[in-house]
């Protein structure tokens, strides 16, 4: 091996190459199992050149070696218990759920396992270390096709979860291109190129040129005329094939019949890449787009709501929509769903065993987590509908909320006529009251269910018929506003709207979460968080509170953040009679018959300032947080109902004492009230200094 030049930032990276190119030596060098004459190897920023293998492993590196390296005298269960660590996401039970064959052979020794079973055990052993980096040398070697598929799905999930980064050395081109978006080509001890997995998987000529993968007569396809448009979709393997050689060695006239065990161990698995026609794709665990309309999901517990969910499916199919039935039952009964429960349950971070527990409470809680994670892995979902009572609503709604804004989502529920904030959250989910309980088809439920399905069909068809939206000419900016900061936000938005698409969110708890959801989804280019009043209600127990993740999207995004102390002078309650007894003697203001405002105290402002300051300290992008010394709202102005300079000073002092100010993280004091035009001008000027966003102009514009 010579000049390898490779970097794995995060996720899964496949390395492929012909035999003898140095792939296994690369793995051994990373793990400290062979000496390194020159060059550097850094793991999480720390050099491991010259380090012992145990020291490398203690840094959080797991290794699945070629050749398995198991103990013949230890049982499967003893292998796993030997390396299992408490508190990790991977447990022996999760390994058994991932590889059921190991559960059947848990009392067998390492020398009594087939080649495929030994490979499963080697993979499981490495995962039980709960590593930060997993190095896998030929992980599918010797595995049966069905197990190869399991390993593929497991590696894809590891990449999506982001807890474990994976370096995969793989001869199977189909597997390598399936589990990783990028593939590194290794030639004579160096990385010749890193390329898109889809390009490599679809181009057999390129595989032949780089890797020596042969082309056979059955691989030939008619040439496509240059004038004929070709629709390219994401490549998926056609399926793994097990190839057996009856004579692993060169036979002679004196050769004896080869034992079946040797033929099994010498077999190899090849996954043939192919481009799928989306209209005929078979769904197993991941949903793909089906034509322009995408795929509609009907999800729920078929063991208790089977007739109702199938009615929804049939109504949707009558609109000629592609529909997939997803079963979220935990009873273990067969349902005939397109996506059965065990497929969804496998997405639980601790495996399906954490869902199918036999206890209804823990099983439903586990399935809720698994369904949410399953939904995040899907592509091409055009809409979703579910139906049920409190349990089914709590089970389905978290997964629905993960879908992007604009994708239709309908929950037909018995609780839809009450407070639905805990179910809808910051999403655009539509909740439809079932009127009668969702228990059997009758004159009422038939109408409600049919209306719900027709409504979803109309939304999906409307989105399909609408003119496809091109890229926006204006980057989107999120702004937070309350009634008492409206003049400021209107002024700022008015100055920005020529070049930016200004989205204003009402700071009622849900509004802040909605803005941050869009930031997490990458739909906002910037945030101007002028109204942080939701922190008041979180601290003092008001009705419009933020949650603990307030400011979290900006922390995760690492983008410039602009904020202010807007309306941090008030806590919100409903009608006056709803104000808690302990607050009745405080300064109250009737905003309208349904909303009563309470002035915050210096003590509360001190707590809010310190809480906000700690969140600002966690932001890695540039931060500009404004302190309007002339008042933080319309009411907090000289002569106003909430004018209290001492309380404001406590807020500003707490922020100043908490925020670790640097060249990029700054508190900016302004003598103006937050609603003065001069304050808005300062915010806009600061915005332009931080955001070098070039709005796209139409040709000739």
């Amino acid at each position: 091996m010579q000049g390898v030049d490779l970097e794995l930032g995060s996720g899964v990276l496949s390395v492929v190459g012909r035999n003898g190119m140095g792939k296994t030596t690369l793995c051994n060098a990373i793990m400290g199992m062979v000496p390194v004459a020159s060059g550097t190897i850094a793991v999480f920023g720390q050099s491991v050149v010259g380090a012992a293998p145990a020291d490398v492993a203690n840094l959080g590196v797991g290794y699945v070696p070629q050749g398995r390296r198991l103990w013949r005298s230890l049982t499967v269960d003893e292998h796993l218990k030997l390396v299992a660590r408490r508190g990790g996401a991977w447990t022996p039970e999760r390994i058994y759920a991932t590889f059921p064959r190991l559960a059947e052979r848990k009392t067998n020794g390492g020398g009594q396992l087939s080649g495929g079973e030994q490979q499963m055990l080697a993979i499981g052993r490495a995962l039980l270390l709960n590593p930060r980096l997993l190095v896998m040398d030929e992980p599918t070697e010797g595995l049966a096709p069905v197990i190869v598929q399991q390993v593929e799905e497991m590696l894809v999930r590891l990449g999506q979860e982001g807890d474990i980064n994976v370096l995969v050395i793989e001869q199977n081109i189909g597997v390598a291109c399936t589990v990783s978006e990028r593939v590194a080509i290794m030639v004579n001890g160096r990385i010749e190129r890193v390329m898109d997995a889809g390009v490599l998987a679809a181009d057999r000529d390129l595989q032949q040129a780089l890797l020596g993968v042969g082309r056979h007569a059955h691989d030939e396809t008619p040439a496509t005329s240059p004038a004929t448009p070709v629709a390219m979709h994401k490549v998926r393997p056609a399926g793994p094939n097990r190839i057996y050689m009856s004579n692993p060695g060169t036979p002679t006239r004196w050769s004896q019949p080869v034992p079946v065990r040797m033929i099994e161990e010498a077999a190899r698995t090849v996954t043939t890449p192919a481009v799928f026609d989306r209209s005929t794709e078979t769904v197993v665990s991941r949903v793909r787009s089906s034509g322009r309309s995408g795929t509609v999901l009907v999800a729920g517990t078929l063991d208790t709501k089977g007739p109702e969910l199938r009615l929804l499916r049939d109504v949707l199919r009558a609109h000629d929509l592609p529909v997939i039935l997803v079963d979220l039952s935990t009873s273990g009964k067969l349902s005939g769903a397109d996506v059965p429960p065990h497929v969804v349950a496998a997405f639980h971070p601790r495996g399906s065993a954490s869902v199918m527990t036999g206890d209804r409470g823990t099983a439903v809680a586990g399935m809720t987590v698994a369904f949410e994670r399953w939904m995040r892995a899907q592509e091409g979902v055009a809409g979703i509908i579910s139906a049920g009572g409190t349990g089914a609503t709590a089970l389905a709604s978290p997964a629905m909320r993960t879908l992007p804004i604009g994708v239709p989502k309908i929950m037909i529920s018995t609780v839809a006529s009450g407070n639905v904030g805990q179910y809808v959250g910051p999403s655009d989910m539509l909740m439809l009251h079932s009127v009668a309980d969702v228990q059997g088809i009758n004159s009422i439920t038939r109408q409600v269910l049919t209306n719900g399905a027709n409504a979803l069909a109309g939304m999906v068809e409307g989105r399909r018929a609408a003119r496809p939206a091109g890229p926006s000419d204006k980057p989107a900016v999120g702004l937070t506003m309350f009634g008492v900061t409206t003049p400021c936000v209107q002024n700022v938005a008015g100055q920005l709207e020529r070049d930016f698409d200004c989205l204003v969110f009402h700071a009622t708890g849900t509004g802040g979460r909605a803005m941050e959801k869009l930031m997490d989804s990458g739909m906002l280019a910037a945030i101007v968080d002028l109204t942080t009043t939701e922190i008041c209600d979180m601290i003092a127990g008001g009705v419009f509170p933020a949650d603990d993740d307030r400011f979290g999207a900006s922390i995760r995004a690492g983008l410039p953040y602009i904020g202010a102390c807007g309306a941090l002078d008030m806590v919100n309650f409903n009608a006056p009679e709803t104000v808690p007894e302990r607050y009745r003697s405080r300064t109250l203001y009737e905003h309208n018959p349904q909303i009563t405002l309470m002035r915050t105290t210096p003590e509360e402002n001190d707590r809010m300032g310190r809480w906000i300051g700690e969140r600002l300290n966690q932001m890695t992008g540039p931060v500009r947080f404004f302190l309007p010394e002339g008042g933080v709202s319309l009411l907090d102005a000289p002569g106003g109902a909430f004018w209290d300079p001492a309380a404001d000073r406590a807020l500003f002092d707490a922020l100043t004492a908490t925020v670790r100010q640097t060249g990029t993280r700054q508190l900016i004091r302004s003598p103006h009230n937050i609603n003065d035009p001069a304050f808005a001008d300062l915010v806009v000027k600061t915005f332009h200094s931080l955001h070098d966003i070039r709005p796209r102009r139409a040709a000739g514009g």
Side-chain angles (χ1 to χ4, degrees), residues 579-655:
V579 176
E581 184 65 34
R582 66 182 184 278
Y583 292 144
R584 293 289 174 87
S585 61
R586 295 274 292 273
T587 300
L588 302 177
Y589 181 86
E590 187 174 329
H591 183 65
N592 61 49
Q594 299 302 321
I595 296 295
T596 304
L597 308 178
M598 179 182 74
R599 200 354 167 153
T600 55
T601 64
E603 293 74 21
E604 290 165 343
N605 282 6
D606 179 80
R607 292 171 58 195
M608 289 188 292
R610 295 184 184 279
W611 193 92
I612 294 173
E614 290 296 341
R615 301 297 280 175
L616 298 180
N617 286 337
Q618 296 179 43
M619 296 183 184
T620 57
V623 174
R624 301 292 186 272
F625 197 81
F626 290 89
L627 314 181
E629 295 177 326
V632 299
S633 75
L634 285 173
L635 298 179
D636 183 30
F642 282 177
W643 176 241
D644 188 343
D648 290 346
R649 186 164 52 252
L651 173 65
F652 302 154
D653 289 348
L655 281 163

Side-chain angles (χ1 to χ4, degrees), residues 308-329:
E308 297 87 344
L309 295 171
R310 291 187 175 90
L311 173 61
L312 294 173
R313 177 199 61 188
D314 294 344
V315 173
L316 289 165
R317 284 182 175 172
H319 288 271
D320 198 27
L321 292 172
V323 183
I324 287 176
L325 195 59
V326 183
D327 189 4
L328 306 178
S329 306

Side-chain angles (χ1 to χ4, degrees), residues 138 365 449 498 670:
E138 304 283 2
L449 293 169
R498 177 177 178 273
S670 168

Side-chain angles (χ1 to χ4, degrees), residues 49-68:
V49 173
D55 295 331
V56 178
N58 286 332
L59 287 176
V61 183
Y63 187 30
V64 180
Q66 190 176 35
R68 296 128 190 178

Side-chain angles (χ1 to χ4, degrees), residues 79-259:
H79 272 91
L80 299 182
K81 289 182 177 179
L82 185 65
V83 296
R85 298 180 178 181
R86 291 184 179 181
W90 285 92
T91 62
E93 292 74 22
R94 185 178 179 184
I95 297 298
Y96 288 137
T98 303
F99 300 116
R101 181 61 177 165
L102 289 183
E104 299 171 5
R105 306 275 281 172
K106 64 191 305 182
T107 59
N108 288 76
Q112 299 174 314
L113 304 178
S114 69
E117 292 166 346
Q118 290 179 3
Q119 189 70 305
M120 297 179 213
L121 182 54
I123 295 173
R125 179 180 59 183
L127 287 172
L128 279 179
L129 293 173
N130 288 283
R132 297 164 61 194
L133 169 66
L134 183 61
V135 179
M136 308 183 77
D137 191 2
E138 304 283 2
T140 64
E141 181 182 22
L143 300 186
V146 65
I147 305 301
V148 171
Q149 287 182 323
Q150 291 182 13
V151 174
E152 286 181 358
E153 294 290 343
M154 177 193 66
L155 290 174
V156 170
R157 286 201 297 274
L158 288 177
Q160 293 169 341
E161 292 168 0
D163 297 327
I164 301 178
N165 304 301
V166 188
L167 179 66
V168 182
I169 309 298
E170 185 57 77
Q171 287 278 36
N172 189 325
I173 300 298
V175 172
C177 294
T178 297
V179 303
S180 174
E181 294 182 356
R182 299 176 300 133
V183 177
I185 311 297
M186 195 168 189
V187 179
N188 294 328
R190 65 180 177 85
I191 299 300
E192 198 271 345
R193 69 175 71 179
V194 179
M195 62 186 304
D196 181 84
V199 173
L200 178 62
D203 194 332
R204 295 302 298 272
D205 291 329
L206 186 60
Q207 295 174 27
Q208 168 65 28
L210 295 176
L211 305 170
V213 177
R215 177 182 290 279
H216 305 284
H218 62 268
D219 293 326
E220 299 295 336
T221 55
T224 303
S225 168
T228 304
V230 179
M232 295 298 294
H233 302 292
K234 185 172 181 178
V235 175
R236 291 287 297 154
N241 300 302
R242 197 78 184 276
I243 299 177
Y244 298 90
M245 296 291 293
S246 59
N247 289 291
T250 304
T252 68
R253 61 185 298 179
W254 298 282
S255 298
Q256 298 296 316
V258 180

